[in-house]
Amino acid sequence: MVLPILTYPNEILRKPTKPVTFPLSKEIQKLSKDMIDTVRNADGIGLAAPQVGKSVKVIVINLEKNGVPLMALYNPKVVSRGFKKVDIEEGCLSIPKVFGLVKRPKKVVIEAQNAEGEKVRFSDDGWIARVAQHEIDHIDGILIIDLIKKYTQGEEIVSEWKKHKI
Ligand SMILES: [Zn+2]
């Protein structure tokens, strides 16, 4: 089922999230399936639970077009960051029409759990690393508008929010 995607300044996007426990509840299993439907439907490359109104630590990464199997990760965190940082243009399904350069470590090590609760640990220095960092930021309440130094689109929208302290 495709869920509505919340957009900024919806306050749920800033709320702390709860860890997921195992075995997964029916509710979380359903949420993961719905998040996969939703990210595919939106043609997005990633989605985090707060974006569909749930304050839990669940993310999905949809890089099937790059040959990466679709991933649902539970309780994900960045456990190690490479020294080298790169500026890449990012957007966000929750902040339509806003794009800008975000500086992030190129290489990271991610730890998470899979649907069975098993520990998953991997390192990446490409798109998975980039999307995972963006989605993990979401479960920590951090948005690209906190990180963008140079906008490529929609700067006036963000200035308007900042002017009104949203
Ligand atoms: Zn986002």
Side-chain angles (χ1 to χ4, degrees):
M1 191 176 86
V2 174
L3 303 170
I5 297 175
L6 305 182
T7 54
Y8 190 79
N10 191 302
E11 61 192 23
I12 295 175
L13 295 169
R14 295 295 197 185
K15 262 179 75 176
T17 52
K18 285 204 183 92
V20 168
T21 55
F22 293 89
L24 288 182
S25 66
K26 284 267 181 309
E27 191 198 350
I28 297 291
Q29 289 180 36
K30 171 93 167 70
L31 172 68
S32 316
K33 278 189 64 184
D34 289 346
M35 284 174 64
I36 288 169
D37 292 343
T38 305
V39 76
R40 280 184 169 143
N41 179 64
D43 205 18
I45 52 179
L47 189 71
Q51 295 181 274
V52 292
K54 303 286 178 196
S55 301
V56 289
K57 298 186 191 298
V58 181
I59 65 169
V60 295
I61 297 178
N62 180 30
L63 289 168
E64 287 181 308
K65 284 176 183 162
N66 300 40
V68 180
L70 201 136
M71 279 185 256
L73 298 174
Y74 303 89
N75 306 321
K77 49 181 190 257
V78 179
V79 292
S80 168
R81 294 170 175 82
F83 180 72
K84 191 182 172 197
K85 291 185 174 180
V86 281
D87 270 316
I88 295 179
E89 187 182 43
E90 289 187 24
C92 180
L93 292 172
S94 293
I95 315 175
K97 302 190 180 97
V98 172
F99 294 87
L101 297 176
V102 179
K103 194 187 284 292
R104 300 188 189 274
K106 182 167 168 55
K107 185 173 179 182
V108 288
V109 179
I110 307 288
E111 258 183 34
Q113 283 166 285
N114 65 16
E116 283 71 48
E118 296 155 351
K119 191 167 139 184
V120 188
R121 185 187 167 97
F122 60 90
S123 91
D124 188 68
D125 61 1
W127 280 108
I128 302 174
R130 184 47 69 153
V131 178
Q133 290 181 80
H134 178 117
E135 303 311 332
I136 291 170
D137 273 354
H138 269 299
I139 60 175
D140 293 332
I142 299 164
L143 301 169
I144 54 169
I145 51 173
D146 308 332
L147 306 173
I148 293 174
K149 294 272 166 22
K150 185 176 170 12
Y151 285 88
T152 50
Q153 199 183 310
E155 184 168 16
E156 67 289 350
I157 302 172
V158 181
S159 333
E160 202 59 26
W161 287 331
K162 290 193 173 156
K163 204 159 78 189
H164 297 102
K165 300 204 161 48
I166 292 171

